[in-house]
Every structure is written in C-alpha cells, then in structure tokens.
C-alpha cells in the first residue's frame, strides 16, 4: 500500500532529521580537531589542494541534503524489495560515515580512518547502485555524494602517507 501524502511529508522530514543528525555528529568530530591553529588537524602535513574548513563544511552539508532527498525518493517505494534493501544499505552507510568521522577526527587516526573510509565507499557504492536500480533519479542524486566520498578517501590516503 502506497504512503499517503501526510506520510510522505512526514517521511521527508524524518529523513532530513536523520541525515541532519549524522551531519551534526560528523561536524562535531570535525570541529573538535580542526578549528584553531594549534589543532591536531592543522598540525598534520597536507597537500596544497586540501579544501578549506568552510568548503568542506558546505560540501558535506550538500552531501547530506542530497542523501536525504535521494533516500526519501526510494523509501516511499517501500513495497519493493530493492527499495528496502537500498534503504538498509543507506542507513549502514550513514552509520559508517559517522564512524569514520569518529575514527579519523575523534581518535585522530588517519590510518584507521582510511580503512573505514574504504568500507564507507563500498557501502555507498552499493547504495548508489541499488538506488539507481529502483530509480535512476535517486541514483543520479547520489553521484555528487559518491564523488565527494571518493575524494575524501583519497585525501585521507594522501594525509596518512604524508604523516606516516
């Protein structure tokens, strides 16, 4: 049975709330270690092309907003197995992303963060593929997020290599 209009509206607010909570959690770990000239992150060797804190924050915000829209678009089609599976992978990728932020920034561990971001990348790749199967629009909406996660993983690798 399809969702009613009220359930669809409640669903979009719920997904924005979930994605917003994960965004705030990730940004809390990020802010703890990045803000301030004496911060752990600012003491690391980094490539010249590393984005600024402001750019990083805005891009991650955009990633979480587009994720909320994409998952909602798939979630409203709950009757289909592929949609339910896609939503499960999406939730797993959110949890893994928060875990990456905790490992990398919270525990200040670029190596373990690299291992975790590879797991995030694989989960997000599966999510994007499942969303694409259900709805090419939902899959397309996730492509910029997938590219940012790929870039973040590469940056994590480069920072780990420069500071190993």
């Amino acid at each position: 049975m399809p969702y009613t209009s009220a359930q669809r509206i409640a669903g979009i607010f719920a997904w924005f709330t979930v994605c917003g909570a994960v965004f705030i959690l990730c940004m809390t770990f990020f802010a703890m270690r990045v803000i301030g000239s004496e911060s752990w992150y600012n003491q690391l060797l980094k490539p010249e092309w590393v984005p600024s804190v402001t750019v990083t924050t805005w891009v991650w915000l955009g990633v979480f907003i587009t994720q909320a829209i994409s998952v909602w678009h798939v979630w409203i089609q709950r009757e289909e197995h592929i949609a339910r599976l896609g939503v499960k992978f999406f939730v797993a990728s959110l949890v893994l992303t928060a875990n990456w932020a905790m490992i990398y920034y919270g525990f200040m561990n670029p190596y373990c963060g690299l291992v975790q971001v590879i797991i995030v990348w694989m989960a997000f790749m599966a999510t994007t593929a499942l969303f694409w199967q259900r709805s090419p629009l939902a899959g397309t909406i996730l492509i910029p997020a997938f590219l940012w996660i790929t870039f973040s993983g590469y940056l994590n690798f480069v920072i780990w290599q420069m500071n190993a």
Side-chain angles (χ1 to χ4, degrees):
M1 165 186 252
Y3 287 114
T4 65
S5 293
Q7 289 171 319
R8 287 174 178 242
I9 292 169
I12 192 74
F13 283 116
W15 283 113
F16 268 103
T17 301
V18 168
C19 290
V22 174
F23 171 75
I24 290 168
L25 180 64
C26 290
M27 286 298 113
T28 300
F29 287 121
F30 179 72
M32 286 182 349
R33 304 295 184 215
V34 173
I35 296 175
S37 61
E38 300 298 317
S39 71
W40 166 78
Y41 185 77
N42 287 328
Q43 302 303 313
L44 293 173
L45 298 173
K46 294 180 284 306
E48 292 180 17
W49 46 267
V50 69
S52 69
V53 171
T54 303
V55 168
T56 300
T57 302
W58 281 105
V59 172
W60 275 114
L61 178 61
V63 162
F64 282 103
I65 289 170
T66 58
Q67 285 181 337
I69 294 166
S70 183
V71 71
W72 174 79
H73 190 72
V74 171
W75 172 81
I76 60 175
Q77 300 170 36
R78 72 175 191 250
E79 303 274 327
E80 297 181 23
H81 172 70
I82 199 78
R84 289 192 311 272
L85 185 60
V87 170
K88 288 175 185 175
F89 267 88
F90 176 80
V91 170
S93 71
L94 279 181
V95 170
L96 291 166
T97 299
N99 195 45
W100 170 79
M102 180 180 64
I103 291 168
Y104 188 87
Y105 294 109
F107 296 144
M108 300 176 285
N109 193 326
Y111 174 73
C112 289
L114 177 60
V115 172
Q116 181 67 24
V117 80
I118 291 168
I119 296 167
V120 170
W121 187 85
M122 290 187 300
F124 205 79
M125 183 171 59
T127 301
T128 303
L130 288 165
F131 278 24
W132 187 276
Q133 280 184 289
R134 181 53 218 114
S135 165
L137 175 62
T140 301
I141 292 169
L142 286 183
I143 290 173
F146 180 74
L147 293 173
W148 181 252
I149 291 167
T150 302
F151 171 78
S152 296
Y154 179 67
L155 179 59
N156 189 152
F157 171 76
V158 170
I159 291 173
W160 168 65
Q161 286 289 297
M162 292 178 78
N163 292 277

